[in-house]
Amino acid sequence: MENQNKKNDGSNATLVEILDLMISRGPEDVALVQKAHDFAKEAHKDQKRFSGEPYLVHLIGTAFNLAEMQADPQTIAAGFLHDTLEDTKTTPEQLLKEFGSDILFLVQGVTKLGKIRYQGIERHAESLRKLFIATAKDVRVVLIKLADRLHNVMTLEHVKPEKRRRIALETIEIYAPVANRLGMGQMKGALEDASFPYAYPKEYEQTKKILQVKNQEILNQLEDVQRVLRKRLVKENIIKIKSDFRVKHIYSLYKKLLRNNMDVSKIHDIAALRIIVSTIEDCYRVLGIIHSTWRPLPSTLKDYIAIPKINGYQSIHTVIFTGSGEIVEIQIRTEKMHNEAEYGIASHLAYDELGKPDAGGTLSKKLRWLSQLIEWQKNVKGSKEFLENIQMDFFQDQIFVFTPKGDVIELPQGSTAVDFAFAIHSDLGEHVSGVKINGKFMSLDHEIKNGDIVEIQARENSRPTYKWLEYAKTSIARRRIKASLAEQEESKKRSQRNK
Ligand code: MN
């Protein structure tokens, strides 16, 4: 086992470090990135940042963040050039001549996205919409925007206080959710953690204290667990493993504390032991070994390998009691899942043998939800509604389905036609007789998928049965079904008495 160390955070990177990080590093790739660096240096030579440093520092920082998320050389080069059209005399023709149409497209994409500001709820929705549409067109544009923003929030100390807070808030409200939705765990965490002290200073200090105290306690526990587990795994012949300790991002800890009335004793994943193995089969073997060594905390096992999160995240999480009665979390995943969890959509831009990004396959599958979202938007009138439809729940495990008229209904993943009917109206739910999904008759327990068009058929004399309680996943549907069942019992009794 080896422990992985944290590298340079990119706020003060160099061209050499960027070249070191690049996966694809043929001579042309190096030459391209070098050329973009030199071009940007010259174009921005008279500009300074708030810190007084040359503007180039920001461009290196942006390109570094892109290299770290394993972006391709074109995207890294565009990272160097992303502010040339807006802030310098550089023309599109020049970029086209020097770097070609692909890079020009990326830089123009970033420039068109422009300044995304957090200005109340209406503008907020617009900004999200802009980012999503840009993502659907070419995800690399949004990767550059995220890399650019990350460097900006990492150097916020040089910005005036009022502006600082606005930038921090819009990062937390707009950019981080987008990174999360693209499965970029590392980017999301970095954006939030850099913004947290400026967005909510008091809460930040409070959380920092909690983290400092608890973290050391738990890391000691985890080291013991790691030692014992290592021996067991070797005995079982599971040798190709890596393990490290994952400390929860501070903003994410704060959010979880909020959900638990600031009660830190309820949070078991402040630090977690992470086991990375080569195959899915090994993930389950490791899980078995863990559970036969320590007692798991009931109902804490989460199998995101069998059922990935909607943003694609895969891992097994389990919480165990250690020998000394403490509670710790262990996460098990393959190397591939690990890369996907850290870099999300960016990890699918990995190259084929020809060094070209993999635009088909996995990536386009991952992006299908995006084009659906944009389709759905057409059915939604104002930006406020759009926001209400996508905010929070959208970024969690929610699906969006349609009525035949095109109204959007939002449901938790795993919902069925029964949930759908009750979500529309209790009257409809209580009289469901059949369901058509995308025009085909389906059984009532059929799981509805994102983007399905669901048509409920109702009959006056249809009533819920006990079976329906198994079909219904949402609490509202279950509550109504129970009420209806009780009513049916009641009226049966009444009619028997009247005989
Ligand atoms: Mn910039």
Side-chain angles (χ1 to χ4, degrees), residues 44 49 55 58-59 62 79 82-83 86-87 110 115 144-145 147-149 151-152:
H44 291 276
R49 303 199 80 216
Y55 197 79
H58 169 61
L59 306 168
T62 303
H82 79 270
D83 281 326
E86 194 168 345
D87 297 343
V110 175
K115 306 250 183 294
I144 296 168
K145 200 72 193 167
D148 168 42
R149 173 51 59 121
H151 186 258
N152 282 335

Side-chain angles (χ1 to χ4, degrees), residues 19-33:
L19 295 174
D20 276 350
L21 279 170
M22 284 167 55
I23 313 173
S24 169
R25 235 188 316 168
E28 333 72 75
D29 300 324
V30 172
L32 172 68
V33 171

Side-chain angles (χ1 to χ4, degrees), residues 192-193 196-197 200-216 247-259 262-264 267 270:
E192 286 177 342
D193 284 3
F196 189 22
Y200 308 107
K202 267 208 312 251
E203 291 82 353
Y204 169 73
E205 289 301 328
Q206 194 186 358
T207 313
K208 197 169 82 176
K209 265 185 217 137
I210 294 175
L211 187 60
Q212 275 162 351
V213 176
K214 287 299 284 185
N215 192 25
Q216 202 43 54
V247 177
K248 203 169 183 62
H249 282 283
I250 186 165
Y251 185 71
S252 144
L253 172 61
Y254 165 65
K255 295 269 285 218
K256 200 157 185 179
L257 281 166
L258 277 183
R259 289 197 297 274
M262 301 308 274
D263 181 358
V264 71
I267 297 174
I270 290 183

Side-chain angles (χ1 to χ4, degrees), residues 11-13 37 40-61 83 151-152 155 158:
S11 57
N12 217 346
H37 166 275
K41 187 177 178 183
E42 177 61 26
H44 291 276
K45 68 175 189 288
D46 299 325
Q47 256 177 292
K48 292 242 184 305
R49 303 199 80 216
F50 286 116
S51 61
E53 294 167 298
Y55 197 79
L56 183 69
V57 169
H58 169 61
L59 306 168
I60 292 178
D83 281 326
H151 186 258
N152 282 335
T155 50
H158 306 294

Side-chain angles (χ1 to χ4, degrees), residues 462-480:
S462 285
R463 287 288 183 279
T465 66
Y466 280 94
K467 260 267 169 281
W468 286 26
L469 285 173
E470 289 169 38
Y471 302 160
K473 301 288 179 296
T474 53
S475 53
I476 176 154
R478 298 176 58 81
R479 220 168 41 231
R480 303 272 189 207

Side-chain angles (χ1 to χ4, degrees), residues 12 55-56 70 80 114 231 266 293 335 347 372 375 380:
N12 217 346
Y55 197 79
L56 183 69
Q70 309 184 343
F80 271 114
K231 281 190 200 143
K266 291 207 178 105
T293 310
E335 188 85 53
S347 73
Q372 282 171 354
E375 273 305 304
V380 183

